[in-house]
Amino acid sequence: MSEIILDIKKISVIFNKMFFGRSQTIKAIDNVSLQIFNSETFGIVGESGSGKSTLGNAMIGLQTLSSGEIFYKEIALPLSGTKDWMRLRRQLQIIFQDPFTSLNPRRTIGQSLAEPIITHNLCSKNDVTSKVLSLLDQVGLNSNMAERYPNAFSGGQLQRICIARALAVQPQLIICDEITSALDVSTQAQIISLLKDLKLNQDLSLVFISHDLGLVRNIADRILVMYLGRIVEIGSSDIIFSDPKHPYTQALINAAPIPEPSREAARIKTPLFGEIPDPQNPPSGCFFRTRCNQVHDRCLIETPALKQVKKNQFVSCHHTEVH
């Protein structure tokens, strides 16, 4: 069995905000438990507002937990303010959605890539430049780009630079937070291919967050489907796409277009209706019941637990039979 990189145990993230003098509580993550294994690509999908990015930030200590625990190789996180935090921070990196705001516009690309190397003292000062040029080469960019500023690059090139910056500290886990959403289709394919090669060659674990199920299917070994801060289904990529159990998962997959016109025209569509409920006032019972076409009385009063329905597949739905 693969080594567990991250062990996430019943975490919740609650935001308390003041609105017109009234305190409002938003539960962005609600009692989520999962494990990330060594050398796997773990996909997280769901609509906007489902809690994907908040979960990704929480995984590496960028978001304070309201409850629950996260362990990196059996070491509790976060460790902010402790001696071990700088050492472990190297192992947990993130690539953000918008590459244009992820880089300092007043620094050259070479300076941005050199900073984490120098901060973590990963090589001698004489070797920093060669390390930066090696990183650019790893992500398919020319060495002469090191002296340019971010405004000289396209979105795809900037995202490659952000990938290089994450790789600079030789991490074990990288969170990829919607990193292809602002890119055109051909550039998306290039970034996905690059991540696959890097994962294979450097023994990386990736968490790939996206609303594009086609991309996630292309890269992920396992997939987590989120809705309103909760897990509704989790399983291997093959199982999720061949035999989805939760109505929400079925609707997401059904909404993704099929590139073959004949198959697209022939399939029976079951589109979602309505919008994600207000997280400040979630529905009682099953959170998905306001948009589900299979609701019965139990769904109104009882929150479904996440249960195993087959090997490598867990579902949170009252309609699912446990085998």
Side-chain angles (χ1 to χ4, degrees), residues 240-258:
I240 291 294
F241 279 92
S242 64
D243 188 23
K245 297 295 187 184
H246 198 282
Y248 182 60
T249 309
Q250 295 168 1
L252 290 179
I253 293 174
N254 192 265
I258 298 175

Side-chain angles (χ1 to χ4, degrees), residues 7-13 29-34 65-70:
D7 191 3
I8 299 169
K9 299 183 177 182
K10 297 182 178 181
I11 67 168
S12 294
V13 175
I29 303 295
D30 188 4
N31 198 35
V32 168
S33 297
L34 59 96
L65 302 180
S66 301
S67 62
E69 298 175 299
I70 298 179

Side-chain angles (χ1 to χ4, degrees), residues 206-221:
L206 300 176
V207 174
F208 191 84
I209 300 171
S210 179
H211 60 273
D212 189 330
L213 271 72
L215 281 178
V216 174
R217 183 178 191 177
N218 189 24
I219 192 173
D221 301 307

Side-chain angles (χ1 to χ4, degrees), residues 8-215:
I8 299 169
K9 299 183 177 182
K10 297 182 178 181
I11 67 168
S12 294
V13 175
I14 300 173
F15 298 117
N16 294 306
K17 297 184 178 181
M18 295 297 295
F19 187 73
F20 289 106
R22 296 170 57 185
S23 178
Q24 297 182 338
T25 299
I26 300 175
K27 186 170 283 190
I29 303 295
D30 188 4
N31 198 35
V32 168
S33 297
L34 59 96
Q35 295 176 326
I36 309 294
F37 297 102
N38 185 44
S39 301
E40 83 164 333
T41 300
F42 187 82
I44 302 178
V45 300
E47 295 171 285
S48 297
S50 59
K52 305 185 301 296
S53 295
T54 303
L55 177 59
N57 289 333
M59 285 181 177
I60 59 173
L62 294 183
Q63 176 62 58
T64 303
L65 302 180
S66 301
S67 62
E69 298 175 299
I70 298 179
F71 296 88
Y72 169 73
K73 293 186 175 180
E74 300 183 354
I75 301 173
L77 297 179
L79 296 168
S80 301
T82 68
K83 294 181 180 179
D84 291 329
W85 181 235
M86 181 66 76
R87 176 177 59 84
L88 291 179
R89 191 68 189 87
R90 277 185 51 201
Q91 307 301 328
L92 306 168
Q93 292 294 304
I94 188 168
I95 306 167
F96 294 103
Q97 179 176 357
D98 186 1
F100 294 95
T101 57
S102 297
L103 297 166
N104 189 332
R106 296 189 177 185
R107 290 189 176 186
T108 66
I109 297 308
Q111 290 172 332
S112 292
L113 295 181
E115 182 181 18
I117 298 171
I118 295 170
T119 299
H120 290 278
N121 195 27
L122 298 180
C123 65
S124 65
K125 292 183 178 180
N126 295 331
D127 294 331
V128 171
T129 300
S130 61
K131 177 68 173 175
V132 167
L133 298 182
S134 175
L135 286 168
L136 289 173
D137 181 65
Q138 285 182 53
V139 296
L141 297 176
N142 296 326
S143 59
N144 59 9
M145 294 180 173
E147 299 303 317
R148 301 180 190 175
Y149 288 88
N151 62 2
F153 296 93
S154 67
Q157 289 173 323
L158 287 176
Q159 202 60 283
R160 288 175 181 267
I161 293 165
C162 292
I163 293 172
R165 185 176 59 177
L167 293 172
V169 291
Q170 302 160 14
Q172 279 209 292
L173 175 71
I174 300 179
I175 309 292
C176 304
D177 187 9
E178 298 270 15
I179 64 172
T180 60
S181 62
L183 307 178
D184 59 66
V185 175
S186 61
T187 307
Q188 286 181 357
Q190 294 170 10
I191 295 297
I192 294 298
S193 178
L194 172 62
L195 288 174
K196 285 182 175 180
D197 291 341
L198 291 171
K199 173 177 172 286
L200 182 64
N201 297 329
Q202 301 195 24
D203 197 30
L204 285 170
S205 297
L206 300 176
V207 174
F208 191 84
I209 300 171
S210 179
H211 60 273
D212 189 330
L213 271 72
L215 281 178

